[in-house]
């Protein structure tokens, strides 16, 4: 069994969330094509509608009507499994007059929200969590800008503070300890916000926004990563991902694959609304483990599970430094990787805050595996099973629909 052929990953999840949410504050209207089809971005649209926003679906496209901040003054918002929906909404709603309650499913209800609440309180919002977790209550309005040093390289946290800053008195500045995805900054600029910055320091003045008339969401690099990484380790494979987002804050996994010795080719084909293009990856028999530094993690945070799978097939030791944040994702991804890839015979261990993978290890057919309700674990395990020449039962496999509802069909189409 090998992977061969072309595929187009679904629209990028991070950009989709953000354009949906910005329609709440911006004026104008936007025709969005290739909006992410997964459940997480549907949670964002449901929240937009619950706040009074207008979302029309027509011929596979989305028509968003800008609300200019005229939202319902009270709302109960179910964010489902989506941490991005909840954290970005906390920031956005902190700047809007009203009382809002945000809740989520069992997994989201275990995830930390206090880290977002703390800077929003400093800005003047009333934000309550239960033991630092959802449900979250936000009473918004009357904010003042702050200078905020992010304690972790988190795009969700950075975005929450920036979105709150849009309606604060005075400038808001965020300082990042290491780079993380910059879609909020880019989209704010595209909507006309007064935002400037580089090298990890962003400064935003309170701004009125206008939606772009049309926006095509590039394919999700994090979704493409599953098949690109799998192609590098499954003998005889060669796959091409079309229309993929190539924003450098999202393509860290391609640099790591290349450093491991994988055959990867990138061809940029467009720059709107962000760089995008074609990526080809082919089986590489001589992969070697490498060091992925703490400063790089923000550029590939969601790809660590599938990169760890790739590292099981590389010679030597791969170290992912300072990946403690992975404990706070949809499940504890460090524990999940050690237990589930370990069940296939992979040699992985957590050393302090680092993940260490030794290879190469031929993976053996497992009995059954558990996604632990985490979509990225479910896809990583499906590909690990393939490498082991097996089709193990994976508990909770249906959660792939959180980010990649077409994953199984694309996998079938690429298998030969
Ligand atoms: C995201 C940021 C990342 C990432 C998540 C999406 C975003 O989370 O893991 O899947 O769209 O901003 P953190 O910012 O918490 O690391």
């Amino acid at each position: 069994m090998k992977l061969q052929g072309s595929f187009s990953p679904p629209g990028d999840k991070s950009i989709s969330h953000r354009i949906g949410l910005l329609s709440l504050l911006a004026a104008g209207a936007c025709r969005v094509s290739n909006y992410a089809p997964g459940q997480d971005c549907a949670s964002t649209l449901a929240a937009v509608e619950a706040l009074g926003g207008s979302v029309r679906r027509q011929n596979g496209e989305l028509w968003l009507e800008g609300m200019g901040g005229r939202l319902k003054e009270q709302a109960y918002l179910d964010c489902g499994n989506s941490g991005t929906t909840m954290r970005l909404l906390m920031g956005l709603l902190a700047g809007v007059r009203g009382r809002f309650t945000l809740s989520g499913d069992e997994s989201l209800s275990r995830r930390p929200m206090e880290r977002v609440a703390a800077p929003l309180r400093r800005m003047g919002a009333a934000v309550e969590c239960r033991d630092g977790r959802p449900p979250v209550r936000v009473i918004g309005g009357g904010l003042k800008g702050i200078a905020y040093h992010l304690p972790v390289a988190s795009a969700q946290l950075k975005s929450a503070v920036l979105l709150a800053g849009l309606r604060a008195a005075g400038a808001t500045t965020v300082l990042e300890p290491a780079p993380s995805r910059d879609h909020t900054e880019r989209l704010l600029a595209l909507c006309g916000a007064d935002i400037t910055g580089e090298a990890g320091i962003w400064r935003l003045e309170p701004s009125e926004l206008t939606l772009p008339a049309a926006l095509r969401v590039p394919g999700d690099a994090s979704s493409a990563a599953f098949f690109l990484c799998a192609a590098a380790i499954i003998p005889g494979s060669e796959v091409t991902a079309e229309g993929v987002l190539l924003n450098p804050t999202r393509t860290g996994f391609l640099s790591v694959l290349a450093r491991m010795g994988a055959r990867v080719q990138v061809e940029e084909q467009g720059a709107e609304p962000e760089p995008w293009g074609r990526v080809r990856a082919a089986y590489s028999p001589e992969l070697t483990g490498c060091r992925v530094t703490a400063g790089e993690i923000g550029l590939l945070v969601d790809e660590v599970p599938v990169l760890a799978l790739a590292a099981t097939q590389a010679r030597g030791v791969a170290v992912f430094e300072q990946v403690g944040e992975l404990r706070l994702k949809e499940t504890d991804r460090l524990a999940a990787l050690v237990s589930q890839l370990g069940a296939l015979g992979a040699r992985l261990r957590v050393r302090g805050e680092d993940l260490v993978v030794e290879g190469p290890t031929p993976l053996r057919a497992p009995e059954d595996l558990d996604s632990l309700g985490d979509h990225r674990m479910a896809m990583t395990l499906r590909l690990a099973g393939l490498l082991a020449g097996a089709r193990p039962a994976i508990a909770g496999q249906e959660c792939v629909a959180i980010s990649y509802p077409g994953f199984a069909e694309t996998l079938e189409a690429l298998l030969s």
Side-chain angles (χ1 to χ4, degrees):
M1 281 289 199
K2 56 184 191 257
L3 298 175
Q4 290 244 282
S6 300
F7 70 103
S8 298
D12 186 68
K13 191 154 90 70
S14 292
I15 296 177
S16 297
H17 280 303
R18 285 160 172 79
I19 190 68
L21 293 173
L22 286 181
S23 74
L24 292 168
L25 296 184
C30 182
R31 178 164 62 90
V32 184
S33 43
N34 208 32
Y35 186 87
Q39 290 167 359
D40 266 8
C41 291
S43 293
T44 283
L45 293 183
V48 167
E49 289 178 311
L51 285 160
S54 153
V55 180
R56 203 153 49 80
R57 295 152 180 91
Q58 203 177 6
N59 304 330
E61 292 183 328
L62 217 61
W63 293 77
L64 297 172
E65 199 70 53
M67 299 305 292
R70 289 176 302 280
L71 310 183
K72 293 210 170 130
E73 289 192 358
Q74 286 209 356
Y76 180 88
L77 305 163
D78 179 0
C79 302
N81 190 248
S82 177
T84 311
T85 306
M86 184 170 288
R87 296 196 176 114
L88 270 56
L89 264 177
M90 285 171 70
L92 187 151
L93 293 173
V96 175
R97 291 216 176 275
R99 295 167 170 266
F100 311 98
T101 304
L102 298 91
S103 69
D105 70 4
E106 209 190 312
S107 149
L108 184 54
S109 299
R110 285 194 300 265
R111 297 180 66 186
M113 296 299 148
E114 181 57 30
R115 52 166 63 177
V116 183
L120 299 178
R121 278 190 212 113
R122 262 186 61 202
M123 296 175 85
V127 186
E128 277 172 38
C129 313
R130 192 162 64 202
D131 294 332
R133 291 164 215 284
V136 179
R137 229 188 307 273
V138 179
I139 303 178
L143 304 189
K144 58 177 192 321
I146 56 169
Y148 186 61
H149 287 258
L150 296 175
V152 282
S154 160
Q156 293 180 350
L157 181 51
K158 169 176 65 175
S159 301
V161 174
L162 288 173
L163 291 172
L166 282 170
R167 293 178 157 240
T172 294
T173 308
V174 288
L175 301 96
E176 300 185 85
S180 64
R181 67 193 69 194
D182 61 2
H183 309 299
T184 301
E185 298 88 305
R186 287 175 185 254
L187 259 189
L188 284 176
L190 187 67
C191 292
D194 183 354
I195 180 165
T196 48
E198 56 181 321
I201 303 180
W202 296 95
R203 182 186 162 86
L204 172 76
E205 294 288 344
S207 304
E208 298 296 329
L209 307 178
T210 306
L211 292 171
L215 184 129
R216 181 172 174 80
V217 180
D220 197 320
S222 301
S223 298
F226 289 101
F227 297 117
L228 293 168
C229 291
I233 54 175
I234 298 178
S237 297
E238 176 159 357
V239 301
T240 304
E242 300 285 356
V244 189
L245 177 68
L246 294 177
N247 174 328
T249 63
R250 293 291 297 285
T251 52
F253 76 99
L254 293 173
S255 318
V256 170
L257 276 182
R259 259 186 3 245
M260 289 171 74
R263 289 191 290 145
V264 177
Q265 274 177 304
V266 179
E267 188 189 332
E268 194 169 317
Q269 294 172 305
E272 300 299 330
E274 297 195 5
W276 60 270
R278 175 181 290 149
V279 183
R280 181 167 296 146
Y283 174 62
S284 316
E286 302 280 296
L287 293 184
T288 46
C290 72
R291 181 170 290 275
V292 182
T293 62
E296 281 180 280
I297 298 300
L299 311 178
L300 49 75
V301 63
D302 292 336
E303 288 68 70
V304 172
V306 75
L307 282 172
L309 171 64
T312 67
Q313 303 308 301
R315 191 160 26 84
V317 179
V319 182
F320 297 86
E321 290 180 348
Q322 297 295 308
V323 283
E325 274 293 298
L326 266 73
R327 296 194 173 101
L328 307 174
K329 297 296 177 187
E330 286 81 333
T331 188
D332 175 344
R333 286 186 180 155
L334 294 184
L337 284 168
V338 170
S339 71
Q340 300 303 301
L341 289 184
L344 289 127
R347 289 178 285 152
L348 292 89
R349 65 180 192 281
V350 177
R351 192 181 58 198
E353 297 294 288
D354 297 351
L355 176 68
V356 181
V357 186
E358 282 175 62
T361 309
L363 300 186
R364 57 170 183 256
E367 281 161 18
D368 40 27
L369 296 170
D370 194 342
S371 70
L372 297 144
D374 182 313
H375 53 128
R376 301 199 196 281
M377 282 307 302
M379 292 185 272
T380 300
L381 294 177
R382 176 72 184 91
L383 297 169
L386 196 66
L387 198 63
R391 176 125 201 210
I394 301 173
Q397 175 77 33
E398 64 285 350
C399 67
V400 297
I402 292 290
S403 63
Y404 201 162
F407 174 79
E409 289 73 23
T410 301
L411 176 58
E412 284 311 314
L414 292 174
L415 273 177
S416 60

